[in-house]
Amino acid sequence: MVKRLVLICLVSALAAAPAAFAGRGSAGHTSIQTLDAGVLVQLNAVRTAHGLVPLKLNAALSVAAARHSEEMLADGYFAHESHNGAPFWKRLTGYSGPTPYGWSVGENLLWSSPGLDASAALRTWMASPEHRKNILRPTWREIGIAAVHANAAPGTYGGRPVTIITTDFGVRR
């Protein structure tokens, strides 16, 4: 039964992925739509293997994740806070609607060399207690995912090639 559920999740995620991840990217770096879709598939496989519901892509969370990945890349920093110091959840107010009550969000970040694949990303997060806790939080129902790549990233990245992934988790009550 679990294998069947994982297969259904994989097929659903792959079918939805192109539309959900379309239109991202800007001059100087590219979005990695295949990595985004793979992260969703791998993440949902881990969740279902632990008896949790798979996450659905959410457009508002995906936009927030994309903006944050692109901002970190462009401004050469790596942090949950925005470049101006605002906490991560303030980027996600479009997900909550006009009030922050009745919703909850979390975030996992990762940066690595361009050879990073979805399996390696999930292994890295699962090896970290805080990231693992986010992935396995039973209350999450939705997610936004955004991977970006640059051949020469500034600041923290030292001009090296880099891939950055932002995952924003959410639930509305």
Side-chain angles (χ1 to χ4, degrees):
M1 183 65 169
V2 172
K3 287 183 181 180
R4 185 175 182 182
L5 183 57
V6 169
L7 180 60
I8 291 168
C9 291
L10 291 172
V11 170
S12 297
L14 290 173
F21 300 122
R24 287 208 332 260
S26 60
H29 60 278
T30 56
S31 168
I32 308 170
Q33 295 173 1
T34 304
L35 181 55
D36 292 351
V39 166
L40 179 63
V41 168
Q42 294 287 321
L43 194 141
N44 277 336
V46 167
R47 286 181 59 84
T48 56
H50 284 84
L52 302 171
V53 298
L55 302 176
K56 296 179 183 172
L57 283 174
N58 175 279
L61 291 175
S62 293
V63 167
R67 286 181 180 155
H68 192 55
S69 287
E70 291 169 359
E71 179 183 285
M72 287 189 294
L73 185 61
D75 293 335
Y77 77 99
F78 184 77
H80 291 286
E81 295 78 23
S82 294
H83 194 253
N84 66 5
F88 86 93
W89 60 266
K90 289 204 174 201
R91 290 192 310 277
L92 305 176
T93 56
Y95 174 70
S96 68
T99 176
Y101 304 105
W103 63 285
S104 181
V105 291
E107 183 173 74
N108 282 357
L109 303 175
L110 177 66
W111 72 279
S112 183
S113 64
L116 179 76
D117 65 12
S119 295
L122 264 290
R123 279 193 308 275
T124 301
W125 282 324
M126 291 300 284
S128 160
E130 289 302 313
H131 294 100
R132 178 184 177 90
K133 183 178 172 183
N134 248 353
I135 290 168
L136 297 178
R137 186 169 175 181
T139 55
W140 298 142
R141 293 296 179 263
E142 299 177 299
I143 192 166
I145 304 169
V148 294
H149 168 74
N151 290 324
T156 297
Y157 312 107
R160 295 181 303 272
V162 67
T163 296
I164 300 169
I165 307 173
T166 300
T167 56
D168 287 327
F169 301 86
V171 62
R172 290 181 272 199
R173 296 178 176 91

